[in-house]
Amino acid sequence: MNILGKITVLPRLPEAIGRLSELAYNLYWSWEPRACSLYRELDPEAWETYGHNPVRTLLEASSERMEAAAADPEFVQRYQEVMAEFDAYMRRTDTWAAQHAADLKSVAYFSMEYGLHESLPIYSGGLGVLAGDHCKSASDLGLPFTPVGLLFHQGYFRQTFNRDGWQEEKYDELDVTTLPIRPIRQNGDDELRISLDIGGRDVMARIWQLVIGRIRMLLLDTNLAENHPDDRLLTSRLYGGDQEMRLKQYMLLGIGGVRALRAAGVSAEVWHMNEGHAGLLNLERIRERVEQGMDFRAATELTAGCTLFTTHTPVPAGNDAFSWELMDRYLGGWPERLRTSRDQLYSLARSGSLEDHGPAFNMTVFALRMSRMANGVSKLHGQVSREMWQGLYPGLYAEEVPIGHVTNGAHNLSFTSQRMRDLLGTVMPKDWTQRVHERELWNNAEKLTDAQLAEVQREMKGEMIDFVREHQREMLLRNGAGAAELSHTETLLSPDVLTVGFARRFATYKRATLLLRDRDRLSRIVNHPERPVQFVFAGKAHPADNPGKAMIQEIYRVSQLPEFRGKIVILENYDMHVARRLVQGVDVWMNNPRRPLEASGTSGMKASFNGSPNFSVLDGWWVEGHDDGNANGWPIGEEREYADQSVQDDADAFSLYQTLEQTIVPLYYGHNEKGDAAGWAKVVRDAIESVSAQFSMQRQVIDYVQCYYRPLSQRRDLLTEGGGVRARQIAEWKAWTEKQWPQVCITASHHLPATAEPGEDIEVTAQVDPARIAQAELRAEVVLKRGHRIERFPMVQREDGQYAARVSLDRSGMYEVGVRLYPYIEGLSNDFELGLIKWA
Ligand SMILES: *Cc1c(COP(=O)(O)O)cnc(C)c1O
């Protein structure tokens, strides 16, 4: 049979519940469990079978069931409530953005992956969920925001364990016509298409739209009959291919993504690259300008001038780099298209220190060079990033490297259980779900009684345990287990036992097996006669990561040992659904990465929203989130780095056992002995109060708007004015200054005293030869560094032509003193944008 294509026709719903088909195509339902319940009740089996997909459920549900629901007043009432809330959400005009960022023009956001819901498996882990959450909050806040991504037909993989606990990967072909997406159509009926040259072939892509509340995501899809079979695979698997496949996918995302935005008529003024994967979007934007007659340098100024880059990778090897040979094969025509040279273009992506295998095009370096603002994803990660990329900014201290940070958050409503939401609703103002970022709001949690919190948590834990038992049963059935083994799942985990959750990608730096380091001690903790502890694990290893898979297997094998059976469990196929179940149901959330490799981490935030306190290494967000005074959770290990990994592992494992045994366990079981649950309830309440606002995605997105989107939007206005006059001037000035710079000279003409009294002033002078650069465009300064603190004292030119500044050594200590010179003109994004610095 030759199938031309698939067409999905939604059933006509009974009028009383008619708008369920409209709602199915708006991911609003993904953070409204009550909306999901409506679909589930229409066909519970289809709901489960197809991964909680409303569109598919409507297709499968029988007309009898629909009629019955439409005739059930209770169902109809709930339907009406959900729709009324949906309408109110969509129609709101007094959004945060309307009130606080009305000047912000449109933002385009590019990400390789998006984690929005389990039924749309185009994410692999935290990076994707973060991007998905960012979109949801952009909608909540009413931002003009358009995300762009790829529609992977086989998504990431579905994970199963074989009988030995070894991870196996299954790739299911998604039926894209039953996903909550629709192709964008042009004027008439034609589906919107864009095309781009990849490796000498024209590749076509269809553009789907995915509606998320008030915003619309564009997803590119090359699985089209008119494409070459190899090109159809470009949107097959997320992170599935080799280097070459990666590069082709990045071209599609970056270059194709810009074309998709243009074709869909979306204006984009501020551009946000979530990770370096999207870096090639800059090529296309420069090309657009060059074709309008601008030169490469001015076009680059304009492009980079309104672009933000967020880095997530704290290890050099984690940053994609392509050989020049591969680049030539795929992007060989681009230097000419951009009217520049290959050397000039490729040099924008070079980092000598990272080039072990010859010259390479490093996506992160390119993204840094192609953006005028950049950030890491927690305070500590910002610092790690500045140190890591210091080599790109010669002449600057790491502290001065222009990479800031916005600490990640999570979308509260997507991860907070409906039960907890209902409970919070009893003490919060009516519109609290729109204002989750407001700290004072959460003081209301004080009004919740210990018993109320305990009851919700007991209930959610019960649901989680039922879920775990069912999940394990399915795995055993598939693996051909016998009746005895199956019956065992009925007693898996106990609702009365302190339950610790650990779930995330199984990258080795996350050290999922740290808990197993001292098995005897672990056994004593797990099998304590009065105060036992149980553990639930889940997580996927990347298909090529055998050490990660070995960690899964080790946990699996331990979970089969008689002493741990039923008390340590590892679940298959960690996804957003499993994540929600766990963060909502466990008592404590554990995380023990090798500091400082966890750029942020977000799952602990989701657990805290539900009153499951975080128990974690002081890395990523937890350095900021952990509250010593209030005990909103517990630290593992110390706030330090180690030279020797095994020493670090020992120290952290020891701390983990110690805190668990001596602090967490006694606190949790305290109420059994003294009939007093206050100690535990206080931590639960503090976790909710201290984490919910500070680590809400709304707070995160607001930070992006205030620190980056708005300044970049203003910068764009400045640069584009009058057809880009300012951009041209800056570009010309940079080219001229770069040429003169080798002749510029600065010499300090003062001998510093070796010691001084606190409060003493010293005069520092210098002689500057500006070559042919105007004096006004040079800045000389004295730099004083004491520890991490850097002070800069501008030098002024005296009548005798010397530059001078008085600096005061206000405190005792050891200072580094230096004099440096750098070129500057009005309109640069930061003092060191040009990257030219001379020290005397
Ligand atoms: C939140 C989330 C993550 C990120 O977890 P971390 O603990 O921050 O690594 C990964 N996967 C899923 C499915 C998530 O929901």
Side-chain angles (χ1 to χ4, degrees), residues 438-618:
E438 294 177 22
R439 281 190 193 221
E440 313 75 59
L441 207 65
W442 293 92
N443 297 338
N444 287 304
E446 290 292 332
K447 298 184 210 149
L448 298 175
T449 68
D450 298 356
Q452 284 176 316
L453 285 168
E455 192 194 325
V456 167
Q457 295 205 299
R458 199 174 322 114
E459 210 172 301
M460 293 316 296
K461 186 158 147 186
E463 282 189 22
M464 185 267 297
I465 291 175
D466 289 346
F467 170 77
V468 168
R469 290 176 181 171
E470 181 55 32
H471 211 76
Q472 290 300 87
R473 206 182 131 76
E474 280 169 22
M475 175 181 82
L476 291 173
L477 272 174
R478 200 195 56 244
N479 281 339
E485 224 182 322
L486 283 176
S487 72
H488 182 75
T489 57
E490 286 156 29
T491 55
L492 210 60
L493 302 180
S494 157
D496 302 319
V497 172
L498 169 61
T499 308
V500 179
F502 179 106
R504 49 189 44 86
R505 285 185 307 112
F506 270 45
T508 45
Y509 78 84
K510 295 193 184 234
R511 297 189 297 187
T513 51
L514 191 74
L515 179 71
L516 312 180
R517 212 162 165 86
D518 182 346
R519 295 246 180 114
D520 294 336
R521 190 155 184 194
L522 177 62
S523 177
R524 288 199 297 277
I525 292 172
V526 167
N527 295 304
H528 191 284
E530 288 100 42
R531 301 160 155 188
V533 183
Q534 58 196 8
F535 294 87
V536 188
F537 285 87
K540 291 176 174 178
H542 185 275
D545 180 11
N546 282 326
K549 292 186 192 178
M551 286 184 163
I552 291 173
Q553 186 171 47
E554 190 183 339
I555 295 170
Y556 182 89
R557 287 186 171 155
V558 166
S559 75
Q560 303 298 307
L561 299 175
E563 59 191 309
F564 295 120
R565 255 193 115 140
K567 299 163 187 166
I568 294 181
V569 186
I570 180 163
L571 294 177
E572 291 178 323
N573 202 36
Y574 183 49
D575 67 358
M576 290 185 74
H577 179 224
V578 176
R580 277 201 309 278
R581 291 286 183 180
L582 295 185
V583 298
Q584 294 172 0
V586 300
D587 297 304
V588 170
W589 192 255
M590 188 171 78
N591 189 15
N592 45 41
R594 186 171 282 132
R595 181 184 148 112
L597 299 183
E598 185 84 302
S600 168
T602 51
S603 59
M605 304 170 187
K606 305 167 189 169
S608 296
F609 297 162
N610 287 284
S612 308
N614 196 38
F615 173 39
S616 167
V617 163
L618 287 164

Side-chain angles (χ1 to χ4, degrees), residues 287-357:
R287 186 193 64 78
E288 293 175 336
R289 302 279 183 186
V290 167
E291 283 193 356
Q292 290 160 10
M294 220 173 226
D295 68 39
F296 174 73
R297 279 175 171 269
T300 303
E301 285 309 318
L302 269 181
T303 299
C306 51
T307 303
L308 169 67
F309 168 51
T310 300
T311 175
H312 296 261
T313 316
V315 272
N319 295 276
D320 286 296
F322 301 111
S323 72
W324 280 12
E325 182 269 318
L326 188 65
M327 289 297 293
D328 287 344
R329 222 161 346 122
Y330 286 95
L331 291 150
W334 278 82
E336 196 189 322
R337 218 166 287 166
L338 305 185
R339 296 204 203 115
T340 182
S341 67
R342 172 180 181 266
D343 276 358
Q344 186 166 16
L345 185 63
Y346 290 7
S347 71
L348 290 168
R350 281 198 79 164
S351 164
S353 63
L354 296 178
E355 294 182 348
D356 298 338
H357 309 285

Side-chain angles (χ1 to χ4, degrees), residues 391-406:
L392 297 182
Y393 304 87
L396 289 189
Y397 284 114
E399 289 86 347
E400 299 176 302
V401 166
I403 300 177
H405 80 272
V406 171

